[in-house]
Every structure is written in structure tokens, then in C-alpha cells.
Amino acid sequence: MTGLPATGTGTGTGTGTEVSVDLLVIGAGPTGLYGAYYAGFRGLSVAVADALPEVGGQIAALYPEKFIYDVAGFPAVRGQDLVDRLAEQAGRWNPAYLLGHGVTGLDDAGEGIVATTDAGARITAGAVLVCGGIGNFIPRELPVGSEYLGRGLRYFVPRLNELAGQDVVVVGGGDSALDWALSLEPIASSVTLVHRRTRFRAHERTVEQVHASSVRVLTPYEVEKVSGDGPVSEVVVASADGDRITLPARSVVAALGFIADLGPIEQWGLELRRRRILVDPTMRSSRERVFAAGDIADYDGKVSLISIGFGEAALAVNHIAALLDPACSITPGHSSDA
């Protein structure tokens, strides 16, 4: 372990970047950011690589304005606020960020790993912690109206205020669809939720909140047509028995879920289960010096929560610290002792 800042700038997207660190964290979502903080706390130099151009992972890319209710210490916290706090916490140790760098290759190199990225960077690390969430995520497309993408049709709402004062149609029956409907209700001119089934996949309490709100709920209906001269201006929805309703709409939010793609991870020689990296009780994968934490990791009894991802990252880092320096204890004591 060097206990020093990472060598190399590692902050750009250009080719030729060279970085040498104790630990490479792949994924700059909440688990990866906490892993970067905790690794610094344990005296490791750290680099964080992510294919996205900003930290925060899925939260920052898909729902930065939504409230999260199951993070310890926060009765409720906006996604972007949580990301900002985690980045500030990790920043204490000056990790090297390689944003816009998707890691494509992991090669063994003596007492370490050499990672290469699709933006031309080369990172030499003593160990790797994969915190890649669900991998690459591609939204499921609305069957009709795809030509209006960017002209009213969208698959997520990174900034709620962009839809303020608009008539909004939200399509879907999962947690994201209902959460966005509730979040938009106070600021939109109107919100209509359209779902092709009478039952929702979302949490029962969220469903109750939607029915108690001013959100118009149409089930079982499907979007039949999206139209408008330039941007979207109206949506036609139809039921199975042929009933049709024309809705005014300046925005259509299609929250139909995502298709997860592990991408290069499948080529790294790791044992996978349920499209996730199988790990042992120390969070180590089947490959020496490669660990995993967060949604991408799998083991018996796994529960996917942000708070559990934090614990998994700390567990992995403690074992990585001992791997890199056998004189280093797996149990470091309390941070308040520092």
C-alpha cells in the first residue's frame, strides 16, 4: 500500500492516461463512492472509473430529484444530494476519477491488475473493486411514438423542473413510474398515469399515495398514438374493450423498465450467477484480486439495498487492505479513533 494519492491525473477522457493505485473502483455510483472513501480511510490510494460522464451512477443519471427513504441517517434524501454528500466524503482522500472511461479489460500483472478503458486509459492497481450496479442499462422503448424522443417523449426525468407547468402522461406500473407521477404532481399542470394492467408492480404504499393524489390513473389502458406538430401535443390511450381517451400532453414519460447489459464484465473470467458477480463472504470474486460490492455482487441471502452496498464495500476494502499488506488488520477499529 502506498497510502498516497494516485499517480497520474486520471480525470480526463483523452487517450494516454496512465494511473497507478492500490485500488481501482469500477463504478462511481453510491457503493463505488463509499468504497473510494473507505479505501482512503484504510490508507489506500484509489482511482474510480465510470463510463458515465459524472459521478452518481444510476441515481444521478435516472432520478437525481427523487427522494430515497432507506439510507441510514436520512429520513429522506434526494438522489443528487446523496451523491453530492458521498462525493464530498470520498474527496477527503483525493481519489483519481476517470469519468467517461468504461473499463473494457482486466489483465493480471504480477502482483496486481492492469485495467484498460475504452477511452485509452491504463490503470495499474493492486486490486479491483467492481461496483458496477446493474451494468449498462437501456430503457425499454414505448412501442409507439419513438419519433418524438427528445421532443416530449423521454424515458427518465433527471430534472423535475423541466416539466413544470406541463400536462404530463406517465406510462408504466413500477416504482419509477409512480414515483415520478407523485413527484411531478405538485409542479405539473396535470399528471396522468397510464398502465396496461389493473395491478401495479410498485410498492403498495406508493400505489395508495397515487390513488389518494390528484394524479389521474387510467388502467388497464395502453398508449395507442402519440402526436403533435413538432413537439408532442396529445396522446391517445385505448383499453382492451376499445374505449379511447385523448389526453393533452407536452411530455410523455415512458417508465417501462430497463434492460441490463453486463457488457465487458462477462469477458473478465468471473463466475457469474443471475447475471451478477458471485462473491465469497469477503466479497472476493472467483478471480484473484477482484472483488465486488453493491447490486453487481451476488451471494446466498443477498438483498439489494444502497445501505447494504455500503457495508459490502467496507467489508471488501478491509479484506483488500489485508491482501495488499499482510501486516494490515482486517478490523481497523472505529473512524472516531482516527
Side-chain angles (χ1 to χ4, degrees):
M1 296 187 299
T2 67
L4 298 173
T7 60
T9 59
T11 56
T13 57
T15 60
T17 302
E18 293 276 348
V19 179
S20 180
V21 288
D22 294 320
L23 176 64
L24 168 63
V25 177
I26 299 176
T31 298
L33 290 173
Y34 185 75
Y37 156 74
Y38 198 82
F41 168 68
R42 289 303 319 262
L44 306 182
S45 59
V46 186
V48 182
D50 198 298
L52 295 175
E54 60 183 350
V55 300
Q58 186 177 351
I59 286 179
L62 301 181
Y63 41 85
E65 296 288 343
K66 287 172 59 178
F67 280 102
I68 299 170
Y69 299 97
D70 56 358
V71 177
F74 294 96
V77 58
R78 290 186 186 277
Q80 190 61 54
D81 291 340
L82 176 63
V83 168
D84 292 344
R85 297 283 187 91
L86 287 165
E88 179 183 359
Q89 185 181 36
R92 176 180 178 184
W93 309 113
N94 299 313
Y97 287 103
L98 293 98
L99 303 177
H101 283 258
V103 175
T104 54
L106 291 181
D107 297 309
D108 296 323
E111 296 297 310
I113 300 284
V114 174
T116 51
T117 77
D118 56 9
R122 175 184 169 93
I123 309 110
T124 302
V128 172
L129 176 57
V130 183
C131 303
I134 61 173
N136 300 323
F137 43 90
I138 303 169
R140 296 184 186 276
E141 293 186 359
L142 189 68
V144 298
S146 60
E147 67 272 22
Y148 286 94
L149 185 62
R151 294 188 292 138
L153 173 64
R154 61 179 70 211
Y155 290 101
F156 51 90
V157 187
R159 298 291 182 267
L160 291 174
N161 59 8
E162 293 179 0
L163 278 63
Q166 298 185 11
D167 294 308
V168 181
V169 174
V170 180
V171 186
D175 285 303
S176 291
L178 275 69
D179 285 345
W180 277 325
L182 286 172
S183 297
L184 289 166
E185 180 201 15
I187 64 172
S189 178
S190 69
V191 178
T192 303
L193 178 66
V194 179
H195 184 41
R196 62 192 179 96
R197 296 189 177 95
T198 55
R199 293 181 61 85
F200 291 94
R201 302 186 310 278
H203 192 281
E204 182 178 348
R205 182 179 178 185
T206 306
V207 176
E208 293 174 353
Q209 289 176 317
V210 168
H211 283 299
S213 73
S214 65
V215 173
R216 184 182 184 185
V217 179
L218 295 177
T219 63
Y221 280 83
E222 294 189 71
V223 175
E224 183 177 77
K225 182 180 180 181
V226 179
S227 60
D229 184 10
V232 172
S233 61
E234 65 179 31
V235 173
V236 177
V237 299
S239 65
D241 59 9
D243 182 43
R244 286 176 173 78
I245 301 174
T246 299
L247 303 168
R250 282 185 57 196
S251 288
V252 179
V253 180
L256 304 174
F258 295 86
I259 301 171
D261 178 13
L262 290 181
I265 292 176
E266 293 184 296
Q267 311 303 319
W268 292 349
L270 306 172
E271 184 177 355
L272 303 178
R273 184 175 73 176
R274 297 181 294 201
R275 298 183 56 77
R276 288 170 170 79
I277 300 171
L278 192 62
V279 296
D280 68 12
T282 70
M283 306 308 296
R284 190 177 71 178
S285 75
S286 59
R287 185 171 172 181
E288 188 71 22
R289 297 180 178 271
V290 179
F291 294 68
D295 287 350
I296 195 66
D298 190 33
Y299 49 85
D300 292 343
K302 168 78 176 188
V303 177
S304 293
L305 293 173
I306 291 176
S307 54
I308 290 178
F310 293 159
E312 292 172 350
L315 179 61
V317 167
N318 282 325
H319 285 278
I320 289 169
L323 170 69
L324 299 183
D325 181 1
C328 186
S329 172
I330 293 176
T331 55
H334 301 292
S335 61
S336 57
D337 297 333

